[in-house]
Amino acid sequence: MGHKVYGELMRYSQDLKSERKQHLQEGRKAQQYLDQCWKQMDNSKKKFERECKEAEKSQISYDRLDNDINATKSEVEKAKSQLYLRTHSADESKNEYAAQLQNFNGEQWKHFNVAIPQIFKNLQDMDERRTVKLGETYRSFADVERRVVPIISKCLEGMVTAAKAVDQRKDSAIVVESFKSGFEPPGDYPFEDYSQNLSRTGSDNTISTPKNEGGVKPDPKHSISKTAKNKLWLFGKKPKAPSLEDFSHLPPEQRRKRLQARIDELSKELQKEVDQRDALNKMKDVYEKNPQMGDPQSLQPKISETMCNMEKLRSEIHKNESWLSEVEGKVSTRGDRRPSADVNHHAPHGRESPEGSYTDVPNQEHRSPPHQPDPRQAHQPDEFDDEFDDDDPLPVIGHCKALYSFSGQNEGTLLMKENEVLYIIEEDKGDGWTRARKQSGEEGYVPTSYVEIAMEKNSKGAVTYI
């Protein structure tokens, strides 16, 4: 339909427009030539009229001087000569006017009897060919439609079959599964007795009210708040919550789905980076065995960049898995593999909880503790992730100076002495630990608040801690 009908018709339409434009231009040219001939004839006519009037004036002047007895002979001869010149000019103008008139009449006859009829004939032939082409196009259109009708009928039958097979219960279950919030119904509100401090003098004045058994204070979670009312925003005003990185502004179930989708996407990107690293390492080995094929050191910047990207992706996956474990209510498979220290812990400001309640946690970020902290007070990990098993060392992105000594007794931590200078190979990701390397090549995690860090300016994604 598009190629044999619409496409062909559009191309033919463009050809017709070009041909019609050409015929109209020929008509305009013929009309302009006829107007030019008429203008030349009219100019010669006006000139002949002027010359005749001048000749008449010369004739009258000559007759007046020839009959005047006081006129001299020279004056009469001068008038006679002027009359001759004017009469000769009038005769020439007459001949020119006659020739132009004859030429205009001939051109006018050709214009209205030859040129214009031929142009109209061409336009008529063009329109007749257009009509024939349209007829052929209509037949082609009908043939295509006739072949398509059975397919359309089959599609319509399929639509009818699908409509008959609609299962509203199953569809509703799919919609519920896709959009359910995961909120738990609120519990009963306890009775809050404000009359406990009132003195009672008699049994008549005693007011019998329910009491909180065991003197338990009312649960603040049961207090009515505007945020709690806005949970079921389908029947009220929808709360205006900003979009957060951890999707905590969404209901639990929707948050879980979004986090899972992000983890899957990051895992795919990480696999791509791993494949790229392996390919670069293989190429580097080939260059080392065959130097004539290339310089192995030229691949090192790309390998370092790939390793850096892998570390960032692993960190993002770890962070999102922690959030996912929080939603699912179970311990993350990787949550305890990386240490989480209380020192230099960066707490976010104004973070909204998954239920939409607003919590304002004061910032506890410090450059360094006012006194030398006890390393035993910091929460030490039982084990670290397997990032040390990589064959290729991580690139250096900065350096640091130890402000305090650190024992590094747990697996994955690094022993350091006061004023010792270390290399930074992985920055703090918000958990209070920085990955460092000694000059001897030994690597491990150290508390961020125990060191003074300076990141390299040209390191990709580096942040300078002051």
Side-chain angles (χ1 to χ4, degrees), residues 57-76:
K57 290 180 181 179
S58 299
Q59 182 68 39
I60 294 173
S61 177
Y62 172 74
D63 292 342
R64 180 174 59 80
L65 291 175
D66 188 37
N67 296 326
D68 188 2
I69 58 176
N70 296 323
T72 60
K73 185 177 180 181
S74 61
E75 292 177 348
V76 175

Side-chain angles (χ1 to χ4, degrees), residues 84-96:
Y84 175 76
L85 291 175
R86 292 297 181 183
T87 303
H88 182 69
S89 297
D91 292 339
E92 290 181 351
S93 298
K94 179 180 180 181
N95 295 333
E96 182 181 359

Side-chain angles (χ1 to χ4, degrees), residues 151-166:
I151 303 176
I152 296 177
S153 300
K154 188 175 181 180
C155 293
L156 293 176
E157 293 176 359
M159 292 172 63
V160 173
T161 304
K164 292 180 180 180
V166 168

Side-chain angles (χ1 to χ4, degrees), residues 43 49 60-61 69 122 138 160 164-165 184 205 224 250 262 278 286 318 353 372 375 403 421 426 444 449 454:
N43 290 336
E49 183 180 4
I60 294 173
S61 177
I69 58 176
N122 293 336
Y138 290 150
V160 173
K164 292 180 180 180
E184 293 293 335
N205 296 329
I224 302 177
L250 297 175
R262 181 189 285 176
D278 296 341
V286 173
H318 169 74
S353 65
Q372 179 174 347
L403 301 176
V421 177
E426 182 180 335
S449 61

